[in-house]
Amino acid sequence: MSNRRMRLLLLTPVMAGSFLVAPAALAWSGALAAPAATCSISGVFENGKVDLSGGGFTPGQAFLSSPTAAGGSFTIAENGGFQMMNVENARYTVTQANQHTECSGFKGTTTNQDEMTQNDQNQNDQNDNGGDQDGS
């Protein structure tokens, strides 16, 4: 066999193997990238406030926004996390470098709202059971 033919026979499996390994290497490098940023809202406290926390962000400046509550700039710690205590119960989004992370855990009601709803329901029940005022 000629040297050229021998080299071709030896290099063909090596080249084919590199095409198989390259996609796997790219997939592994993606897995080693920083985790996706997350943000969550704690349960609603008796005062109607919540705690807000997040992780996986890039340290530095970020912006907190909400359609119904105050927001603003804040700083993500060196570990990529943050905590905000005793904030309004609302739907929040953290924006950093044009990446928007919606905070999970928003329930939509507070204890005070639940109590008012229960009081309204009790009032309606009393009106329904009380009959008409003319005694009929």
Side-chain angles (χ1 to χ4, degrees):
M1 236 192 244
S2 72
N3 282 341
R4 191 156 115 204
R5 192 170 218 194
M6 183 60 93
R7 277 185 268 166
L8 184 59
L9 287 173
L10 291 174
L11 289 177
T12 301
V14 172
M15 293 301 290
S18 67
F19 288 118
L20 294 174
V21 172
L26 290 174
W28 289 326
S29 68
L32 296 176
T38 61
C39 175
S40 62
I41 298 169
S42 70
V44 181
F45 299 114
E46 286 185 21
N47 65 358
K49 303 283 184 154
V50 297
D51 289 346
L52 189 63
S53 61
F57 292 92
T58 302
Q61 289 297 305
F63 188 80
L64 181 67
S65 60
S66 170
T68 59
S73 294
F74 67 101
T75 302
I76 303 289
E78 287 299 315
N79 66 4
F82 72 91
Q83 288 187 335
M84 294 182 181
M85 311 305 244
N86 208 29
V87 298
E88 294 296 321
N89 180 22
R91 194 174 305 274
Y92 289 100
T93 301
V94 176
T95 302
Q96 188 179 39
N98 292 324
Q99 295 291 321
H100 306 286
T101 304
E102 290 188 31
C103 300
S104 63
F106 176 65
K107 302 290 189 255
T109 60
T110 64
T111 302
N112 292 339
Q113 289 171 330
D114 290 341
E115 288 173 4
M116 289 188 328
T117 301
Q118 185 62 42
N119 289 340
D120 291 344
Q121 183 63 43
N122 290 341
Q123 184 66 37
N124 289 338
D125 289 346
Q126 288 175 356
N127 290 341
D128 291 342
N129 294 333
D132 293 334
Q133 296 210 0
D134 65 0
S136 54

